[in-house]
Amino acid sequence: MIRTIPQIGDPVLRAANLEVSVEAVNSAEIQTLIDDMIETMRHANGAGIAANQVGVNLRVCIIGVEANERYPYKPALPLTVLVNPVVHQIGTETYLNNEGCLSVPIRGDLLRMMSIKVRSWDRTGRPFEQIYRGLSAGTVQHEVDHLDGKLILDRVTDPTSFSTWENFRAHEYDRFVDRIQPVIAATEPRTEPA
Ligand code: NI
């Protein structure tokens, strides 16, 4: 079922998100939540979604980029369900990304860690570890930020980079793709088992 995505200012996006228990992860309630998150993300052409973006304050998020109208420059990323994810930085390198969000009507520039390791469960509660680099790492960090009640606007250091989607496409898109190409090229493989 496609669920409504709360927008910035809705307290559900800032509330604490609880860990999913081992007992609960295979319940019909959690499995339906995950299915609905996937459906809602795909319907909105998102690259990821967090449970609080369908109104549920649990530490579950999903990432996945197919050929995506919203992000045609983004490398593909397999659909991955992360339950109780924890992000560890690898190295110290960062890059300047430009991100949008299904819960925020404007985009902006923000720094992301270049390489991370994620420790998590999959949707059945099995341990899952993966290394992510570049834009794929940025997507994971964006979704885990949601689980910490953080939105992109909290991380934007230069407010002059704020832009509507329409104005980003008209005025910033080409410059951003030029800026991000070296990051994409330098971060292969984008994912790797940890
Ligand atoms: Ni978001």
Side-chain angles (χ1 to χ4, degrees):
M1 188 180 74
I2 295 166
R3 301 198 194 184
T4 303
I5 300 177
Q7 296 299 297
I8 185 167
D10 190 318
V12 76
L13 295 171
R14 299 298 195 175
N17 295 292
L18 297 175
E19 292 210 340
V20 178
S21 69
V22 182
E23 299 75 37
V25 69
N26 285 294
S27 66
E29 190 188 349
I30 298 293
Q31 293 300 311
T32 302
L33 168 67
I34 290 168
D35 289 339
D36 287 356
M37 287 169 66
I38 293 169
E39 203 177 333
T40 303
M41 178 184 86
R42 287 184 165 152
H43 180 255
N45 281 318
I49 197 165
N52 57 0
Q53 290 185 284
V54 297
V56 177
N57 286 116
L58 288 173
R59 298 187 74 83
V60 179
C61 64
I62 292 172
I63 52 168
V65 180
E66 292 161 31
N68 189 320
E69 278 175 27
R70 216 167 135 97
Y71 311 100
Y73 57 86
K74 271 200 175 181
L77 183 61
L79 184 75
T80 307
V81 177
L82 301 172
V83 178
N84 302 333
V86 178
V87 168
H88 304 272
Q89 183 165 16
I90 299 173
T92 56
E93 204 180 348
T94 59
Y95 69 98
L96 189 65
N97 203 2
N98 180 285
E99 294 181 16
C101 176
L102 298 175
S103 295
V104 179
I106 57 177
R107 302 178 58 93
D109 284 351
L110 69 169
L111 284 176
R112 290 295 186 193
M113 301 176 232
M114 185 71 87
S115 299
I116 59 171
K117 181 163 92 172
V118 176
R119 281 197 170 140
S120 166
W121 297 346
D122 70 10
R123 67 179 294 167
T124 68
R126 279 180 307 208
F128 172 83
E129 281 194 5
Q130 184 98 352
I131 290 168
Y132 293 93
R133 300 186 180 91
L135 282 180
S136 300
T139 301
V140 174
Q141 289 166 72
H142 178 117
E143 298 314 324
V144 174
D145 270 357
H146 278 298
L147 304 185
D148 294 330
K150 272 200 162 68
L151 295 170
I152 48 174
L153 302 190
D154 312 352
R155 290 199 181 274
V156 170
T157 49
D158 176 6
T160 65
S161 71
F162 285 141
S163 171
T164 63
W165 277 81
E166 196 178 23
N167 282 330
F168 176 76
R169 290 225 168 265
H171 306 293
E172 296 295 328
Y173 181 82
D174 291 343
R175 209 171 348 171
F176 172 65
V177 170
D178 285 347
R179 184 178 90 202
I180 210 68
Q181 281 310 327
V183 172
I184 294 171
T187 51
E188 295 290 345
R190 295 180 304 275
T191 65
E192 195 181 310

